[in-house]
């Protein structure tokens, strides 16, 4: 396909390489093990890139005499700790690091750039070296490349969309095409050996399907005596009385069960119809992979040899500089706390996931927050906990966080508001449990003149979203009658927001009056569906079209803001053609919005620049108005 480029699927250990501002470099595995000291021939990786700070993704491999990567050759080096043994292994079985992607370079997050652009940047900063290499990419010739991989005994190839963002999970943008069926499995037990065989007879292995460990068969070949003894001693230390599998498998010999902590690399010919492996062969233990990340690789539809790229999601990027919980982001020191705290219990998302989401999409959300006072809405214990609102800057706020003083309701008092103009502040907000970001509709210092008019379509509860869609389209059409362009987004909760960018020359009162005109016209057309009643008890299960949000100090969740809702939903901008029956706020979450942004860009960018005149709109739409209180221009 002309949309894809192809590279070798290496049979090694996936690792991120970090080059820090102090010149030190490190290699980190998927389960956050520091591998740097175990591969001294790779320790000078930082010397081979023209960069101050950098993160790249790649594979550590050992190669046979034909230059083909073999995990078995590398396995003996992974668990070495003694300096003498490591030094000897680096001479007898040298390691190579093949770089295939770049994520970060000198203060810039590159993960949302198209793959082709990232590879271009990688090529510019890389200095060739014997042990540090850039993985070769082949353009379009996928079939011929796959045949060559098969002829040369490679595990397979990777196909990646040229325009894809950096992928951290299974994706149809990064597809694994296998010559040999090989993947990781969790060891859940073993059988007693027969005859003169020592240690164990076969490993009982499986994979995770959600929380359940599913049995995939037994593997008894691929071991030598040394391996049999080593694995047996490891399993003896984690034995348990009952099976860890969801259903206890039938075995030919008595079974012993172990805690599902160890991971094995297995080669096999195919899956049987009953879900077991045919002709499995043990390749090696995988100490670089977390057992809970192991699942069955799925076949790509229409391609029996292809499988979805299944590298388990990398843990959140470690700090680019600094140690412990103190990190440095764009030159600002930030103390992060309780990153492992679970904020969404059902999904297992942590505070770290929240911080990293905002970090990934910062270039999209920051323009919509910059210069706007924020009302902080904090959830100390994540989704489901009782939030509290905070207008005044919290105690302990870093001195570099921008704050601006604005009058309070009492004219003799003032409130110091936070304004989020940069990535360090955005990460700090997430760290203090601001799940959502709630900016004003006006910019400092002209905070009494909004540059956005908003209509909030607020249903009485779940189950009304198709009606919300119907009202959003009606609002769009009414605004269009006044010559106004509008932009929809999911609220991320139960409703829909419609934004109208306006010139910041009108007061909040004038903007609210205009919004009331639009809301009233919509209500008059659909009184069976829409209410303007502020009292919840009087709405009679109709959908509230809220125009009162257009008031100084009132806020709505920002575009791209996470919400304290099941699934960690995100307030997501939409194309109007997407606003149709079947749309649901749960369609957009912290797991898929970054990929959507890579595909569509910032659909709300015009909200920042396309400023429209309300007086001109009134003049154009005057023919649609019934006699009602006038709109007085104070510009």
């Amino acid at each position: 396909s002309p949309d894809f480029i192809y590279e070798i699927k290496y049979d090694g250990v996936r690792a991120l390489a970090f080059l820090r501002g102090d010149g030190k470099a490190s290699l980190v595995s998927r389960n956050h093990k520091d591998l740097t000291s175990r591969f001294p021939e790779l320790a000078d990786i930082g010397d081979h890139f023209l960069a101050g700070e950098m993160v790249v993704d790649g594979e550590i491999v050992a190669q046979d005499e034909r230059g083909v990567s073999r995990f078995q050759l590398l396995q003996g080096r992974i668990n070495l700790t003694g300096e003498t043994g490591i030094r000897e292994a680096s001479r007898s079985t040298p390691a190579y690091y093949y770089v295939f992607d770049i994520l970060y370079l000198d203060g810039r997050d590159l993960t949302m750039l198209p793959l082709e652009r990232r590879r271009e940047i990688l090529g510019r900063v890389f200095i060739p070296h014997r042990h540090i290499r850039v993985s070769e990419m082949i353009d379009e010739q996928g079939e011929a490349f796959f045949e060559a991989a098969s002829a040369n005994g490679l595990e397979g190839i990777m196909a990646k969309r040229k325009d894809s963002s950096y992928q951290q999970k299974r994706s149809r943008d990064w597809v694994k095409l296998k010559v040999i069926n090989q993947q990781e499995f969790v060891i859940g037990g073993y059988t007693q050996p027969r005859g003169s065989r020592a240690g164990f007879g076969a490993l009982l292995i499986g994979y995770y399907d959600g929380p359940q460990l599913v049995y995939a068969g037994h593997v008894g070949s691929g071991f030598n005596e040394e391996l049999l003894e080593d694995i047996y001693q490891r399993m003896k230390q984690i034995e348990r009385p009952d099976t860890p599998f969801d259903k206890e498998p039938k075995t030919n010999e008595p079974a012993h069960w172990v805690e599902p902590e160890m991971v094995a690399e297995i080669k096999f010919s195919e899956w049987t119809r009953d879900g077991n492996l045919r002709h499995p062969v043990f390749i090696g233990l995988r100490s670089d992979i977390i057992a809970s990340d192991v699942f069955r690789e799925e076949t790509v539809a229409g391609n029996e040899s292809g499988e979805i790229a299944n590298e388990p999601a990398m843990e959140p990027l470690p700090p680019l500089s600094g140690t412990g919980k103190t990190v440095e982001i764009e030159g600002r020191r930030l103390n992060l706390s309780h990153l492992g705290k679970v904020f969404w219990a059902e999904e297992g998302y942590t505070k770290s996931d929240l911080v990293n989401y905002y970090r990934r999409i910062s270039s999209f959300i920051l323009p919509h927050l910059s210069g706007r006072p924020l009302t902080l809405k904090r959830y100390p214990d994540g989704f489901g906990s009782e939030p509290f609102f905070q207008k005044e800057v919290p105690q302990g706020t870093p001195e570099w966080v921008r704050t601006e003083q604005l009058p309070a309701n009492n004219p003799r008092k003032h409130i110091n508001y936070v304004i989020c103009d940069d990535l360090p502040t955005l990460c700090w907000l997430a760290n203090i449990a601001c799940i959502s970001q709630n900016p004003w509709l006006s910019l400092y210092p002209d905070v009494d003149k909004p540059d956005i008019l908003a209509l909030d379509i607020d249903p009485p509860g779940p189950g009304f979203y198709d009606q919300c869609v119907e009202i959003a389209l009606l609002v769009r059409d009414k605004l269009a009658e006044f010559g106004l362009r509008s932009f929809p987004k999911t609220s991320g909760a139960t409703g829909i927001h419609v934004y109208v960018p306006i010139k910041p020359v009108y007061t909040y009162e004038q903007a609210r009056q205009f919004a009331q005109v639009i809301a009233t016209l919509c209500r008059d057309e659909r009184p069976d569906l829409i209410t303007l009643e502020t009292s919840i008890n009087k709405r009679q299960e109709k959908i509230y079209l809220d125009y009162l949000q257009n008031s100084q100090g009132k806020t709505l969740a920002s575009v791209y803001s996470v919400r304290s809702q099941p699934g960690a939903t995100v307030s997501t901008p939409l194309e109007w053609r997407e606003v149709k029956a079947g749309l649901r706020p749960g369609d957009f979450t912290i797991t898929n919005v970054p990929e959507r942004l890579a595909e569509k860009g910032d659909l709300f960018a015009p909200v920042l620049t396309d400023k429209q005149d309300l007086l001109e709109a009134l003049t154009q739409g005057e023919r649609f108005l019934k006699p009602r209180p006038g709109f007085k221009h104070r510009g």
Side-chain angles (χ1 to χ4, degrees):
S1 168
D3 298 329
F4 283 79
I5 48 181
Y6 305 87
E7 65 181 341
I8 292 172
K9 170 67 180 76
Y10 293 102
D11 189 12
V13 173
R14 180 92 170 270
L16 290 178
F18 294 87
L19 174 61
R20 306 177 192 276
D22 57 7
K24 294 182 179 179
S26 59
L27 290 162
V28 181
S29 70
R30 284 179 291 186
N31 57 352
H32 267 214
K33 288 186 177 181
D34 192 318
L35 304 175
T36 316
S37 63
R38 303 188 187 176
F39 300 98
E41 64 269 48
L42 307 179
D44 64 346
I45 184 173
D47 297 338
H48 306 288
F49 290 88
L50 301 173
E53 287 189 330
M54 178 195 70
V55 182
V56 296
D57 195 356
E59 193 101 358
I60 301 173
V61 303
Q63 299 172 325
D64 63 16
E65 63 280 358
R66 296 185 301 125
V68 176
S69 60
R70 300 293 184 206
F71 176 74
Q72 299 100 312
L73 298 175
L74 196 65
Q75 184 188 5
R77 297 197 55 180
I78 294 176
N79 297 315
L80 289 175
T81 55
E83 185 176 339
T84 302
I86 290 174
R87 192 165 51 247
E88 173 58 32
S90 69
R91 289 192 293 265
S92 61
T93 312
Y96 302 86
Y97 185 59
Y98 281 87
V99 182
F100 50 73
D101 215 328
I102 183 166
L103 289 66
Y104 181 93
L105 178 65
D106 292 336
R108 187 180 179 197
D109 181 356
L110 307 179
T111 56
M112 301 304 291
L113 292 179
L115 173 61
E116 278 193 315
R117 176 68 175 139
R118 299 198 306 275
R119 291 284 303 191
E120 178 188 335
I121 294 171
L122 179 61
R124 288 208 313 265
V125 301
F126 174 65
I127 302 171
H129 180 260
R130 180 168 173 259
H131 287 277
I132 316 297
R133 305 172 179 180
V134 170
S135 175
E136 184 179 358
M137 288 283 188
I138 304 297
D139 192 21
E140 298 189 17
Q141 303 298 317
E143 292 182 10
F145 192 37
F146 182 81
E147 290 175 4
S150 179
N152 285 278
L154 302 182
E155 181 185 348
I157 67 174
M158 293 293 300
K160 299 179 179 180
R161 288 193 68 91
K162 296 176 180 179
D163 59 357
S164 63
S165 62
Y166 177 73
Q167 305 291 314
Q168 297 194 75
K169 59 184 180 63
R170 286 180 290 176
S171 166
R172 293 188 182 274
D173 287 343
W174 287 18
V175 181
K176 185 186 298 182
L177 302 161
K178 284 194 169 185
V179 174
I180 301 169
N181 282 318
Q182 183 173 316
Q183 72 159 84
E184 304 86 26
F185 290 92
V186 178
I187 299 173
Y190 62 93
T191 60
Q192 287 187 192
R194 296 182 188 176
S196 61
R197 181 159 176 162
F200 60 90
L203 298 177
L204 306 175
I205 57 175
Y207 59 89
Y208 276 100
D209 182 4
Q212 295 183 325
L213 185 64
V214 179
Y215 181 65
H218 62 274
V219 54
S221 60
F223 307 98
N224 56 32
E225 291 185 6
E226 184 179 352
L227 267 176
L228 282 169
E229 179 62 21
D230 177 54
I231 296 173
Y232 176 67
Q233 292 302 327
R234 291 173 185 243
M235 292 191 295
K236 288 292 288 181
Q237 296 177 30
I238 55 172
E239 282 197 352
R240 56 183 278 172
D242 57 339
T243 179
F245 297 105
D246 60 335
K247 297 177 182 178
E248 184 169 331
K250 295 180 180 179
T251 58
N252 295 329
E253 300 294 333
H256 300 260
W257 310 113
V258 301
E259 296 292 342
E261 299 173 0
M262 298 171 62
V263 177
E265 186 84 10
I266 305 295
K267 180 171 65 176
F268 57 98
S269 61
E270 62 179 347
W271 288 93
T272 66
R273 288 188 176 182
D274 58 358
N276 287 344
L277 304 182
R278 179 165 286 144
H279 309 134
V281 177
F282 177 84
I283 301 298
L285 292 178
R286 299 299 303 252
S287 61
D288 60 313
I289 294 175
I290 301 171
S292 58
D293 284 339
V294 174
F295 49 84
R296 176 172 172 172
E297 297 180 356
E298 302 171 20
T299 301
V300 174
N303 188 337
E304 292 182 355
S305 64
E307 293 175 353
I308 296 173
N310 76 319
E311 302 292 356
M314 304 288 282
E315 290 293 323
L317 297 179
L320 296 170
S321 58
T323 58
K325 297 175 183 176
T326 300
V327 301
E328 188 170 308
I329 301 174
E330 295 183 352
R332 305 294 192 184
R333 293 183 66 79
L334 177 60
N335 295 318
L336 299 176
S337 60
H338 307 295
L339 289 176
K341 189 171 187 177
V342 176
F343 266 26
W344 283 269
E346 184 170 341
E347 295 81 9
Y349 300 151
T350 64
K351 188 204 282 189
S352 181
D353 294 319
L354 180 69
V355 172
N356 273 290
Y357 165 79
Y358 279 123
R359 184 174 166 186
R360 285 191 71 190
I361 60 94
S362 61
S363 61
F364 291 92
I365 193 174
L366 282 173
H368 298 279
L369 300 178
S370 183
R372 300 181 188 274
L374 293 175
T375 295
L376 308 186
K377 190 176 184 181
R378 300 172 64 179
Y379 295 81
D381 294 313
F383 164 59
S385 65
E386 190 68 28
F388 66 93
F389 289 88
Q390 196 168 12
K391 295 183 178 180
E392 183 69 40
V393 174
Q395 289 186 349
T397 297
E399 52 85 22
W400 42 260
V401 170
R402 179 185 173 187
T403 62
E404 298 292 351
Q405 194 176 80
L406 296 172
N409 292 332
N410 185 331
R412 290 178 294 181
K413 292 185 178 181
H414 290 80
I415 296 175
N416 290 307
Y417 283 88
V418 170
I419 294 182
C420 181
D421 291 336
D422 54 33
L423 176 58
T425 302
L426 183 62
C427 292
W428 169 74
L429 287 167
N431 184 63
I432 65 170
C434 291
I435 289 178
S436 61
Q437 312 305 328
N438 300 275
W440 285 26
L441 299 177
S442 55
L443 291 157
Y444 184 87
D446 295 326
V447 292
D448 59 340
K449 294 178 180 177
D451 67 337
I452 296 170
L453 181 149
L455 287 157
D456 181 9
I457 301 166
D458 185 11
F464 290 85
Y465 214 74
D466 285 345
Q467 292 92 323
C468 288
V469 164
E470 189 176 350
I471 294 172
L473 295 173
L474 178 59
V475 168
R476 176 200 62 183
D477 294 344
K478 290 301 176 189
L479 288 165
E481 290 174 354
F482 286 77
L484 292 173
R485 294 169 295 282
S486 56
F487 301 84
K489 69 182 181 75
T490 65
S491 70
T494 58
I496 296 175
H497 298 157
V498 178
Y499 276 26
V500 182
I502 60 175
K503 292 181 177 179
V505 296
Y506 301 100
T507 66
Y508 270 103
E509 180 185 355
Q510 291 170 319
R512 185 171 61 254
Q513 287 177 3
F514 187 92
Q516 183 179 3
V517 168
I518 300 300
T520 303
L521 289 172
C522 292
R523 191 273 316 273
D524 290 350
E525 184 166 325
R526 291 301 308 271
D528 59 315
L529 195 60
I530 299 171
T531 180
L532 305 185
E533 177 59 61
T534 57
S535 172
I536 296 176
N537 294 330
K538 296 180 181 179
R539 292 179 188 170
Q540 301 176 334
E541 289 203 337
K542 295 181 181 180
I543 292 174
Y544 178 44
L545 186 49
D546 185 0
Y547 60 86
L548 295 176
Q549 292 291 344
N550 299 282
S551 302
Q552 184 168 313
K554 284 200 171 184
T555 63
L556 291 169
S558 169
V559 65
Y560 308 121
S561 174
V562 186
R563 303 304 307 275
S564 180
Q565 295 289 323
T569 53
V570 172
S571 180
T572 305
L574 305 164
E575 298 171 330
W576 273 115
R577 63 184 177 85
E578 295 178 294
V579 182
K580 58 186 179 182
L583 174 71
R584 294 294 181 267
D587 295 341
F588 310 103
T589 70
I590 60 173
T591 62
N592 60 21
V593 164
E595 284 73 24
R596 177 179 168 86
L597 283 169
E599 176 186 352
K600 294 184 177 292
D602 183 8
L603 297 178
F604 252 43
V607 174
L608 301 173
T609 57
D610 188 15
K611 301 306 181 183
Q612 304 169 97
D613 193 296
L614 291 184
L615 193 60
E616 291 179 6
L618 271 178
T619 301
Q620 179 171 331
E622 189 173 3
R623 66 185 183 277
F624 300 108
L625 298 176
K626 299 176 182 178
R628 54 172 41 90
F631 176 89
K632 297 179 181 179
H633 177 53
R634 300 177 186 173

